[in-house]
Amino acid sequence: MDFARLPVGPGVRVLDLGCGGGRHAFEVLRRGADVTAFDMDQAELDSVAAMFAAMDKAGEVPEGATGETVRGTALDMPFEDGVFDRVIAAEVLEHIPDDMAAMREIFRVLRPGGTAAVTVPSFLPERICWALDEDYHTAPGGHVRIYTLAELSAKLKSTGFVIGPHHHAHGLHAPYWWIKCAVGVDNDDHPLAKAYHELLVWDIMKRPAATRIAEALLNPVIGKSVVLYVRKP
């Protein structure tokens, strides 16, 4: 997520739709906004709530900022119309058969003039994963479609959004998933998969200049995700 394109801060109410482990929600909270972490998985939400509490105890939450967790489905969110200034939907829509119903819900809960950031797997890296391992996309809760940027943009536009800029991300992650699919998507103990995973963890923790430059060069070509920013008129 590029927070220069999705500015958040004090007084801004943000929905992290399909928050999972809470990575985006934590960053939003650190920036002083009020964040609602929303997901179907109660275990994930319990973990996110525990981290919210730990961040507050450690003094990482700016004064006035709040973090809450809410359980539910993207197809029928328990929120009033237009209550969020920003919506983050990161790697969510590719899991939902009726994706346009979810888009309409995002549009509904976003205030007029508000901005949403929607990310989905990029077409080429995702197509390779599907070709390498059927289990990657047929397992329960897996991906049900591969988006092109044109399809994603068209669907969001037909929902009522104004389409804004986009970029690709996680160029270093695509080869990891290709390896995982080649050796078995559930085979976490394969030496090559383990070694590449350790590289990614090291990169996330240390963020050395060499891998930052490499990822910047790889993102437009094999970025694992495409991020599209849209606005509600």
Side-chain angles (χ1 to χ4, degrees), residues 3-228:
F3 285 101
R5 292 185 170 110
L6 189 79
V8 300
V12 176
R13 189 172 183 194
V14 183
L15 172 67
D16 185 3
L17 172 61
C19 66
R23 180 166 59 95
H24 291 112
F26 302 148
E27 182 60 25
V28 168
L29 187 60
R30 288 189 186 99
R31 290 171 179 260
D34 301 315
V35 61
T36 298
F38 184 79
D39 205 281
M40 292 178 63
D41 189 330
Q42 188 61 51
E44 293 273 36
L45 292 176
D46 290 343
S47 176
V48 171
M51 181 57 76
F52 282 162
M55 290 171 61
D56 187 45
K57 186 175 181 180
E60 296 182 24
V61 179
E63 185 176 354
T66 62
E68 66 169 353
T69 60
V70 176
R71 185 172 183 266
T73 169
L75 301 179
D76 185 21
M77 290 190 276
F79 307 115
E80 304 257 342
D81 296 354
V83 295
F84 294 102
D85 303 296
R86 309 281 184 267
V87 175
I88 297 171
E91 312 298 294
V92 172
L93 294 177
E94 69 274 13
H95 296 275
I96 302 175
D98 192 353
D99 59 338
M100 293 196 69
M103 292 178 190
R104 289 191 291 271
E105 275 292 271
I106 294 170
F107 188 87
R108 180 184 67 79
V109 302
L110 189 63
R111 69 163 174 82
T115 304
V118 179
T119 92
V120 297
S122 299
F123 178 82
L124 177 60
E126 185 75 350
R127 186 68 189 85
I128 293 172
C129 286
W130 280 46
L132 288 172
D133 187 0
E134 185 177 356
D135 289 342
Y136 174 83
H137 64 94
T138 59
H143 299 179
V144 299
R145 72 178 57 79
I146 303 176
Y147 286 100
T148 63
L149 177 59
E151 178 190 355
L152 179 65
S153 300
K155 285 183 172 181
L156 287 165
K157 185 176 181 179
S158 71
T159 305
F161 286 106
V162 176
I163 305 302
H166 73 275
H167 61 87
H168 291 79
H170 306 310
L172 291 176
H173 289 236
Y176 169 71
W177 283 103
W178 296 341
I179 292 168
K180 286 274 287 178
C181 289
V183 303
V185 72
D186 294 322
N187 187 1
D188 295 328
D189 294 326
H190 190 280
L192 189 55
K194 286 181 67 174
Y196 202 105
H197 184 265
E198 289 172 3
L199 170 66
L200 292 178
V201 171
W202 173 78
D203 173 59
I204 291 168
M205 298 298 294
K206 302 297 184 181
R207 300 187 66 81
T211 55
R212 294 302 87 214
I213 293 170
E215 183 150 85
L217 294 172
L218 289 171
N219 278 344
V221 183
I222 59 168
K224 184 70 170 65
S225 298
V226 59
V227 189
L228 180 61

